[in-house]
Amino acid sequence: MPDQPVRTPDRLLARRTFLARIGVLGATSAVATAIPATTLARTSQAAPAAPAHPDTASVTDAALDRLLDLLRPVLSELSRDTLSGLVVMTSPGPDRFSAAQGTPRPEPGAIEAGGTDFIIEALDGFVPFPDQLSTPLLAALTTALDDTGIALPTSLNTLLLGQVATLDQALLVILRNDQTLPLSLVVALLLNLLATQVNPLSVTGVLSSPFARLSLDEKCRAFELLEGPDADLIGLLDANLPEPLRDSLSGLLRFLAGALLEFSAFGSYNEWAVFDRQTRELTARPVGWELSGYQPDGVVHGWDDFIGYYQDRSEVGA
Amino acid sequence: MRDVIVIGAGGGGPVVAKELAGRGLDVLLLEAGPRHADPDSEWTHLENDANNPLTGFLRFGPQDRGAPAWYRETPQNSFIWQLSGVGGTTQHYFGNCPRAMPGVFTGYDGADRDAYDTAHLFPFSYDELVPYYEWVEATLPVQTAAMGTKESVFFRGCEGIGLPVQTTKTTVEDSFRPQQNAILQPGGWAGKVTGRDDPRLRYPESTGCTFCGYCMQGCSMPHGAPRNLAAKRSTDNSYVPMALTADAWADGGRAAELIADAYVTRIHTERRSGETVATGVTWRVGSTGEVHREDAAVVVLAGGCTESPRLWLNSALPNPNGWVGRGYTDHFFDWMIGLFDERTESSKGAASAARADFPGRGGMENVGLTPGLQQFAAVFSDSGIRGHHTNGRAPKGPWDGPAGRMIGPELKDALMNGIDRLLNILVITDDDVEAHNRVTLSALPADEHGPVPKVRFHQRRRSARTLANREFVARKAAEVLRAAGARKVVRVDWPPLLLHVQSSMRMGRSEDDSVLNADAEARWVKRLFVADNSALANSLGGPNPTLTAQALATRTAEKIFSTYFGGDPWVAREAPTVSTDARISSRLADVVG
Ligand SMILES: Cc1cc2nc3c(=O)[nH]c(=O)nc-3n(C[C@H](O)[C@H](O)[C@H](O)COP(=O)(O)OP(=O)(O)OC[C@H]3O[C@@H](n4cnc5c(N)ncnc54)[C@H](O)[C@@H]3O)c2cc1C
């Protein structure tokens, strides 16, 4: 785990841009006034050794706790919006995410099929993703800087640098200390990072997530970067990986790119959202069944589709 | 001390267990996953509940469904589709049982003898395996597949491109046919009525395949049938019931003991007169974490192509030529989707009941899926997103547009055209054994069973023959769909989907590139045999692997019996008992309770 970064103004400017790119800055603007400011180090050279734990920095514990309470729902909303932006790639419908990607459809789609919750539940509850890979990814997201000089719109420039430092500190706590790893949040932040690489203007807009603001074509370009995987992305992420795992990273990103789309497709068309675990029955007709005409009268135990044997041959010789 | 301990109750392990239990040996069958003894109360016919690889009742993970699935490292876009549980991956297999191409065996002398992976032939002849094929075909049993609408569409396409019909079990030329499959032919009302809870669809009013369309969700149809009369002959319905009731159907037979939720973490060996000899195993009980150890005269490893190398390496068994885990073949699949205006009834009937073969190239089969899996298959691609990016590939050909995953409106419209108005073709490549496609131990942290396997496939650096074969068959598949009347044909260009898995612990002619000798005994560990798909010498030329692995496992059971128990081989001189035998049904009622 890398040390707590030094909080100098230059660094914080770059960090602020990064937080904007992964969607955190925009999403938190609503609670911005509640963010207390951290005292900044005087110069980068003279900065004291970084504290070992993120939560021992210069905002009081009580203030940080209050902020965390405010931040958690905001970040979970950010993940939801981002992953909604993902699932509508595989089944656009009448929702605002499909509209935002430029492919509105009248009939139900991924959102109505519960695709967002499907993917969040899968990522957070069940993906047996080893900490050894997720920890460095988290570290990258919580320490990375953006000095590409993307100009932030004024709406994202309202936080004082001290507040940015606090926000950053809180993010670190949420990503590192929560009981279960919020893999959905990690994935969302990653998608947002790629989104702002594809289209820097996506840092602001109507929805809370940069990725969800992209057109379908731009989302595909973001996936191109993930799947490539893009050298800049690798460079950003692998600095934190222990040596034996460096090789695994590009493979992991390729795997992730595929898996996110495959899982979105599976979840957007299967019965997950309307399955009652207690009775093991459906509570309504799944969206995917309705769209595809599958099992018009529900589950059957047989079909009358036995035509016979090809050329009437029901057995063959050696 | 047991006579034999078999590790893994999937496609191969139960075959050895059944055969040796039938000879009266004391056999212990250990399975890492759940038992699924009562499908009626444990299973549904719903694809997420069944097939979600993280949470489904058919997944690769522990018995406790609330616990996470077992993580395997795949450092590329790819997907390993193996299952734990009694029946292993056959629980959701399609039951297709073609024989291997004769050209992949030593001694083949046909005009096309150079067309195969000749550097990695089986160390014996096709003729030598034929009696074992016949034995397994009679036991499962294997029959000619019944035809539904989707098969008739596939056949029309094959006729349309001028392919001849194959009417034999052995393939000798480019041809098409109904599958020979391990699915009981429909009898009574089966296949003739549509319904739920219709008494006519219950056993014995219906026997065999009811055309329900849930092969991939596990087969327990027709309702009310004894387990060994369920239509699809996955080993949980065929070989396992036979192993557990061997005293009932075999003269002098002794029922095998099955323990599920028992993960073998180590194979033990000792040195005896200068040789390394297997002596037993240690396993961990999933629900309690308890550890047990038992000794046996012979140990049979049958964990599957990914897990058997892992257990070998975790047991620190010898690997002098480095071939443990190497030479993994997967038929480098591809997927072709044809959209039709007419009805194909793709979601009904056995999932895949028709095929075509191209000796020296591979083959293809039709596959029907449920909506979520259909869309999963349509976005599983190594060629980026159609019309957006190519990921450096996106080949063009007789399909529409560049290959790649569909997305957005195109993906949705494809399914809205109707799940029963499409036809999928699985492209099956005759692929080469290549040392770099392999299982190693991952550097990621170990789980409760030790270091986890890492499966590396270099899909873009496969042999020229493999790549050319795949393109050849992909073109044929597109042509068949067009000839059948498809309005639109999409090639997805799948990354490796590991479900036809072979040869990662291969037997071979040369000591330099094989792990097993011609008897399937480990070259460097006596009394240790391998009896799953990993023992296969190569990818069989493209035919689905399970029948051949089961024939080979039958032969291996004979080798074990004659080498270590002083018995005689039986396949040549006895007649097999069919797994649907009534004695098995009635004894099962007692043993399962
Ligand atoms: C969707 C699908 C369709 C298919 N259709 C066909 C088809 O039509 N025809 C065909 O021939 N093949 C088909 N296959 C492939 C077929 O399932 C495999 O060929 C077959 O199951 C392989 O048998 P196996 O014994 O090698 O491995 P598996 O069947 O995977 O069995 C291995 C077993 O060992 C257990 N195990 C592993 N490690 C341990 C351990 N350490 N301790 C205890 N137990 C352990 C596993 O839990 C598992 O149950 C299909 C596969 C899939 C996924």
Side-chain angles (χ1 to χ4, degrees):
Chain A
M1 185 69 62
D3 289 336
Q4 170 85 347
V6 177
R7 292 182 299 275
T8 62
D10 277 357
R11 194 177 166 96
L12 276 170
L13 280 171
R15 185 66 191 151
R16 180 171 68 182
T17 309
F18 188 83
L19 289 176
R21 288 190 53 192
I22 61 178
V24 169
L25 204 57
T28 50
S29 56
V31 296
T33 50
I35 302 175
T38 303
T39 325
L40 301 184
R42 267 175 220 99
T43 70
S44 56
Q45 262 67 25
H53 293 291
D55 46 351
T56 57
S58 35
V59 171
T60 64
D61 284 356
L64 192 62
D65 282 347
R66 265 200 311 282
L67 178 59
L68 290 175
D69 288 344
L70 285 172
L71 218 50
R72 280 203 177 88
V74 169
L75 290 179
S76 98
E77 203 48 39
L78 175 62
S79 319
R80 290 193 66 79
D81 276 11
T82 310
L83 295 171
S84 294
L86 168 70
V87 296
V88 296
M89 290 179 76
T90 60
S91 185
D95 59 281
R96 61 203 168 107
F97 300 96
S98 301
Q101 74 177 7
T103 64
R105 301 273 298 215
E107 74 288 335
I111 301 299
E112 291 72 26
T116 312
D117 290 305
F118 174 85
I119 203 112
I120 290 175
E121 185 184 278
L123 287 170
D124 292 349
F126 295 99
V127 172
F129 201 74
D131 286 355
Q132 276 63 13
L133 283 175
S134 54
T135 306
L137 282 182
L138 292 185
L141 291 171
T142 50
T143 58
L145 303 178
D146 186 294
D147 36 26
T148 53
I150 295 180
L152 292 186
T154 40
S155 62
L156 291 181
N157 263 334
T158 53
L159 284 197
L160 300 171
L161 286 187
Q163 288 178 304
V164 171
T166 307
L167 180 62
D168 212 10
Q169 217 176 305
L171 178 66
L172 201 61
V173 172
I174 288 179
L175 287 175
R176 285 187 188 171
N177 292 12
D178 271 15
Q179 289 256 295
T180 52
L181 169 80
L183 190 55
S184 60
L185 179 57
V186 176
V187 166
L189 299 183
L190 200 60
L191 290 177
N192 288 332
L193 181 66
L194 293 166
T196 51
Q197 185 165 342
V198 168
N199 179 359
L201 295 180
S202 67
V203 289
T204 51
V206 279
L207 302 165
S208 80
S209 143
F211 181 79
R213 289 173 192 134
L214 298 182
S215 68
L216 180 61
D217 184 56
E218 290 169 332
K219 287 179 182 177
C220 292
R221 291 205 337 254
F223 267 88
E224 182 175 10
L225 296 176
L226 185 59
E227 189 165 35
D230 178 61
D232 289 348
L233 179 64
I234 296 273
L236 173 72
L237 299 177
D238 86 352
N240 294 292
L241 278 176
E243 186 52 49
L245 296 182
R246 292 258 169 117
D247 281 352
S248 301
L249 182 68
S250 58
L252 175 80
L253 295 178
R254 286 202 174 89
F255 180 81
L256 187 68
L260 287 176
L261 290 172
E262 291 141 25
F263 247 72
S264 295
F266 183 51
S268 299
Y269 293 92
N270 74 35
E271 84 287 354
W272 178 81
V274 292
F275 177 64
D276 181 334
R277 277 166 225 217
Q278 254 42 62
T279 61
R280 301 189 303 127
E281 294 284 346
L282 300 178
T283 55
R285 184 162 168 77
V287 167
W289 295 24
E290 190 59 31
L291 292 173
S292 64
Y294 178 61
Q295 313 243 60
D297 300 314
V299 167
V300 296
H301 295 150
W303 286 107
D304 61 351
D305 194 43
F306 172 34
I307 297 176
Y309 293 90
Y310 185 64
Q311 297 180 340
D312 293 328
R313 201 178 301 104
S314 60
E315 58 183 297
V316 297
Chain B
M1 168 95 173
R2 304 275 181 165
D3 291 329
V4 178
I5 294 178
V6 179
I7 305 164
V15 175
V16 176
K18 170 258 176 185
E19 293 297 341
L20 294 179
R23 298 291 123 185
L25 297 190
D26 177 8
V27 178
L28 173 62
L29 177 56
L30 296 171
E31 167 52 46
R35 170 85 171 84
H36 296 311
D38 181 19
D40 276 353
S41 70
E42 294 176 52
W43 292 357
T44 62
H45 305 295
L46 302 169
E47 58 178 339
N48 184 67
D49 188 36
N51 305 116
N52 186 315
L54 302 171
T55 58
F57 56 79
L58 301 181
R59 63 166 184 168
F60 195 68
Q63 178 171 290
D64 172 8
R65 261 178 98 182
W70 291 317
Y71 177 79
R72 269 74 186 109
E73 187 185 357
T74 43
Q76 65 268 321
N77 186 8
S78 62
F79 184 61
I80 305 178
W81 217 329
Q82 58 179 355
L83 299 186
S84 61
V86 174
T89 312
T90 71
Q91 289 171 100
H92 72 181
Y93 89 151
F94 298 161
N96 294 326
C97 288
R99 294 181 180 181
M101 295 291 174
V104 303
F105 292 81
T106 291
Y108 179 70
D109 206 21
D112 58 344
R113 64 182 166 276
D114 296 329
Y116 303 92
D117 184 3
T118 50
H120 303 98
L121 298 175
F122 274 83
F124 50 81
S125 70
Y126 179 73
D127 287 347
E128 186 177 335
L129 199 60
V130 166
Y132 300 97
Y133 275 133
E134 290 170 345
W135 182 272
V136 177
E137 286 162 350
T139 303
L140 281 168
V142 175
Q143 299 171 328
T144 299
M147 178 169 64
T149 307
K150 67 183 187 307
E151 284 71 38
S152 69
V153 175
F154 182 89
F155 294 144
R156 192 204 308 151
C158 292
E159 290 160 356
I161 66 162
L163 276 178
V165 189
Q166 175 178 336
T167 59
T168 54
K169 290 181 181 131
T170 301
T171 301
V172 293
E173 59 172 350
D174 290 5
S175 54
F176 75 96
R177 56 178 159 146
Q179 299 275 7
Q180 287 293 110
N181 66 14
I183 296 179
L184 300 178
Q185 292 174 337
W189 289 101
K192 296 182 182 152
V193 283
T194 298
R196 178 170 187 172
D197 300 324
D198 183 323
R200 291 172 300 175
L201 284 170
R202 283 189 71 83
Y203 179 86
E205 293 296 302
S206 284
T207 58
C209 179
T210 64
F211 274 65
C212 69
Y214 313 125
C215 289
M216 204 152 167
Q217 285 73 45
C219 182
S220 58
M221 292 287 162
H223 263 311
R227 188 74 185 250
N228 71 316
L229 287 174
K232 192 179 77 176
R233 314 307 293 156
S234 42
T235 59
D236 52 322
N237 294 333
S238 56
Y239 275 95
V240 171
M242 288 191 90
L244 299 181
T245 61
D247 52 332
W249 57 266
D251 248 358
R254 172 174 178 169
E257 183 179 355
L258 167 68
I259 306 181
D261 196 26
Y263 204 112
V264 177
T265 53
R266 196 172 180 91
I267 296 171
H268 300 282
T269 58
E270 64 183 33
R271 297 286 293 175
R272 271 186 221 155
S273 9
E275 289 183 324
T276 302
V277 179
T279 58
V281 305
T282 290
W283 74 90
R284 180 181 181 278
V285 179
S287 57
T288 61
E290 277 167 44
V291 171
H292 295 276
R293 178 172 175 165
E294 269 207 42
D295 289 338
V298 168
V299 174
V300 177
L301 176 54
C305 281
T306 297
E307 306 305 315
S308 286
R310 181 229 194 169
L311 181 56
W312 181 288
L313 296 169
N314 280 345
S315 302
L317 301 181
N319 182 17
N321 63 13
W323 268 77
V324 169
R326 287 194 191 269
Y328 204 145
T329 58
D330 68 334
H331 288 163
F332 199 5
F333 287 157
D334 202 348
W335 191 250
M336 203 72 68
I337 304 169
L339 303 185
F340 289 74
D341 291 327
E342 66 177 304
R343 293 190 69 84
T344 57
E345 312 301 352
S346 181
S347 69
K348 303 172 182 175
S352 167
R355 72 184 296 109
D357 292 286
F358 306 96
R361 302 288 201 171
M364 59 167 111
E365 60 188 28
N366 69 331
V367 176
L369 294 173
T370 43
L373 291 171
Q374 177 70 31
Q375 298 300 69
F376 179 107
V379 299
F380 184 62
S381 178
D382 203 27
S383 275
I385 300 177
R386 270 164 66 85
H388 297 275
H389 76 98
T390 65
N391 203 21
R393 291 178 56 88
K396 294 195 170 145
W399 42 89
D400 289 300
R405 54 168 75 83
M406 292 188 279
I407 205 79
E410 187 187 29
L411 176 65
K412 193 178 191 190
D413 286 336
L415 192 68
M416 285 178 68
N417 183 63
I419 190 89
D420 290 320
R421 283 197 174 82
L422 57 79
L423 191 73
N424 300 304
I425 294 185
L426 177 67
V427 170
I428 308 176
T429 306
D430 171 6
D431 62 326
D432 285 331
V433 168
E434 294 182 76
H436 65 180
N437 295 326
R438 64 186 297 209
V439 181
T440 54
L441 294 178
S442 171
L444 292 170
D447 65 14
E448 63 274 29
H449 309 123
V452 303
K454 169 176 177 172
V455 181
R456 185 80 175 100
F457 264 83
H458 296 268
Q459 61 250 48
R460 302 202 178 183
R461 292 199 280 122
R462 302 191 70 148
S463 73
R465 194 184 79 94
T466 300
L467 295 174
N469 282 352
R470 188 168 187 259
E471 293 312 299
F472 177 91
V473 182
R475 287 177 164 272
K476 289 285 182 205
E479 288 163 11
V480 164
L481 286 171
R482 293 236 189 264
R487 175 166 43 76
K488 175 172 177 178
V489 177
V490 175
R491 178 176 180 188
V492 183
D493 190 24
W494 274 1
L497 180 61
L498 306 187
L499 62 79
H500 281 185
V501 289
Q502 299 89 207
S503 58
S504 61
M505 302 279 289
R506 60 185 300 273
M507 60 166 45
R509 294 194 290 181
S510 165
E511 278 179 33
D512 300 335
D513 62 6
S514 62
V515 177
L516 309 177
N517 67 20
D519 289 353
E521 188 171 16
R523 289 190 180 280
W524 320 292
V525 185
K526 296 294 140 203
R527 296 175 178 272
L528 175 59
F529 291 77
V530 177
D532 55 25
N533 287 20
S534 71
L536 297 169
N538 52 46
S539 75
L540 311 182
N544 317 39
T546 313
L547 174 74
T548 302
Q550 292 177 330
L552 185 61
T554 306
R555 180 177 174 274
T556 302
E558 275 195 349
K559 301 288 182 193
I560 293 170
F561 195 56
S562 53
T563 309
Y564 291 112
F565 297 95
D568 294 323
W570 56 90
V571 166
R573 56 182 173 79
E574 292 179 18
T577 300
V578 60
S579 60
T580 52
D581 191 291
R583 289 168 294 177
I584 301 165
S585 317
S586 61
R587 177 56 57 87
L588 265 186
D590 308 335
V591 296
V592 178

